[in-house]
Amino acid sequence: MASDAESPPPTPPRQKKNNNHRCSYNNYQTDMVYPYFMHPSDNPGISIVSPPLNNLNYHSWGRSIVVDLRSKNKLGFLDGTLPRPVDSDPLTLAWDRCNTVVMAWVTNSVEPDIAQSILWMDTTSEIWTELRDRYHQGDIFCIGDIQEEFFNIKQGDLTITQFFTNLKKLWQELDNFRPIPTCSCATKCSFTLLPTIKSYRETNCVIRFLKGLNEQYAPVRSQIMLINPLPPINKVFSMLIQQKRQLLIPLDDDKIVANFYKPQRHSNRTDSAPKNFAYGRGKNLKMCTYCNKSGHTVEVCFKKHGLPPYLKKPQINNASSS
């Protein structure tokens, strides 16, 4: 009987080979979860991003390209994480087909003069690297321009929604140039430095949004800025929208004429209606302090001031007619 020392060592478990391409060979044409799946509508003649890439819009264009190709499960062809199989692999032809279609999508989504400079490249990842190196302008001048526009932006003639959209676009673009670094420690850190930096950035955006509002929002702006800590930017936007609806600022189309103040049809009277009476959604919010009825204010109350001249019946002079 052999001793334990003489017994052969146990056979190590067989490791599985990475056969992702091989396992998907029979299903890639019908199962959309595989990157080699092509929908019948996925033809090389379409443009997946609009507007096309030019010398000024690389960052928004690149983001749109990534989102679209991720939705089609083709991002691996763009960033190079799905390399071409060896020539003996049965899926090589499928890879070449998909790579060609994605290349055509990217080429159709750039300006014609830019397309001519990437026409002879063989893979989508080469095109992506070339365009990124050429147009990703992360220099100090571009960052300075965005910072200046971000800290000087005002609402002006814009609505709250338009002002909020423009401000957040600048904020996200600045964050794209200077993202907050992530922790690369092997052991998860217990420090709160990075979350604190992120909180400071979000607070700066909230302050800039509130300070850029027009003066008609000064009361609600002061109330929000007294909150400690400040709410997130989206919550602040929601609070302002609710306050605007409650106070009706501004009134609909700035029309402040009551329907019943309009002259009668075929009338020659040209008296203008009072300029301090609202109609539409906010008319029932008006309350008269003289007659305690809704729909008007004390300044235009008929019981206190009498009827306007154009609503009075004309009086007949009997002496002149006799």
Side-chain angles (χ1 to χ4, degrees), residues 119-277:
L119 184 62
W120 302 102
M121 295 184 178
D122 296 327
T123 63
T124 308
S125 60
E126 290 182 48
I127 296 177
W128 181 250
T129 302
E130 170 70 19
L131 295 177
R132 181 181 57 196
D133 294 342
R134 190 187 306 177
Y135 297 106
H136 188 278
Q137 301 172 359
D139 53 21
I140 197 67
F141 295 102
C142 188
I143 295 175
D145 292 339
I146 298 175
Q147 287 179 340
E148 182 178 4
E149 187 175 359
F150 177 78
F151 286 104
N152 293 328
I153 189 171
K154 299 289 184 181
Q155 180 183 357
D157 297 331
L158 301 176
T159 64
I160 289 184
T161 302
Q162 293 171 338
F163 174 59
F164 173 78
T165 302
N166 293 345
L167 180 73
K168 199 163 187 180
K169 177 183 176 182
L170 291 173
W171 181 41
Q172 292 175 344
E173 190 171 0
L174 187 61
D175 188 66
N176 179 65
F177 278 110
R178 285 190 170 179
I180 299 177
T182 58
C183 179
S184 59
C185 299
T187 305
K188 187 176 181 180
C189 294
S190 59
F191 299 102
T192 60
L193 179 60
L194 295 181
T196 302
I197 296 175
K198 183 178 180 181
S199 176
Y200 285 166
R201 282 196 178 183
E202 293 177 353
T203 301
N204 290 339
C205 188
V206 174
I207 295 175
R208 186 64 260 155
F209 176 58
L210 292 174
K211 296 295 288 184
L213 292 172
N214 293 337
E215 287 302 317
Q216 60 184 350
Y217 300 103
V220 62
R221 175 177 60 195
S222 301
Q223 294 176 5
I224 295 175
M225 295 188 72
L226 290 175
I227 301 175
N228 188 21
L230 282 176
I233 182 67
N234 292 332
K235 180 64 176 179
V236 172
F237 174 75
S238 177
M239 295 169 65
L240 285 167
I241 291 295
Q242 294 176 13
Q243 187 74 7
K244 176 183 175 182
R245 292 174 180 173
Q246 181 180 357
L247 299 179
L248 296 177
I249 303 174
L251 294 174
D252 294 341
D253 300 329
D254 293 332
K255 297 177 181 178
I256 47 176
V257 181
N259 288 332
F260 58 83
Y261 275 101
K262 294 180 180 179
Q264 300 293 328
R265 185 177 296 179
H266 306 299
S267 175
N268 293 327
R269 303 182 182 93
T270 59
D271 298 310
S272 59
K275 295 293 183 70
N276 58 349
F277 200 91

Side-chain angles (χ1 to χ4, degrees), residues 4 29-30 57 67 77 109-110 157 187 232 236 248-250 279:
D4 294 340
Q29 292 182 338
T30 58
N57 66 341
V67 171
F77 295 94
S109 301
V110 303
D157 297 331
T187 305
V236 172
L248 296 177
I249 303 174
Y279 77 101

Side-chain angles (χ1 to χ4, degrees), residues 101-122:
V101 173
V102 178
M103 283 177 56
W105 289 343
V106 175
T107 304
N108 295 336
S109 301
V110 303
E111 293 287 349
D113 54 341
I114 300 177
Q116 292 297 322
S117 64
I118 59 176
L119 184 62
W120 302 102
M121 295 184 178
D122 296 327

Side-chain angles (χ1 to χ4, degrees), residues 47-54 57 60-62 64-65 108-111:
S47 175
I48 59 176
V49 171
S50 180
L53 173 66
N54 52 44
N57 66 341
S60 59
W61 175 87
S64 301
I65 285 285
N108 295 336
S109 301
V110 303
E111 293 287 349

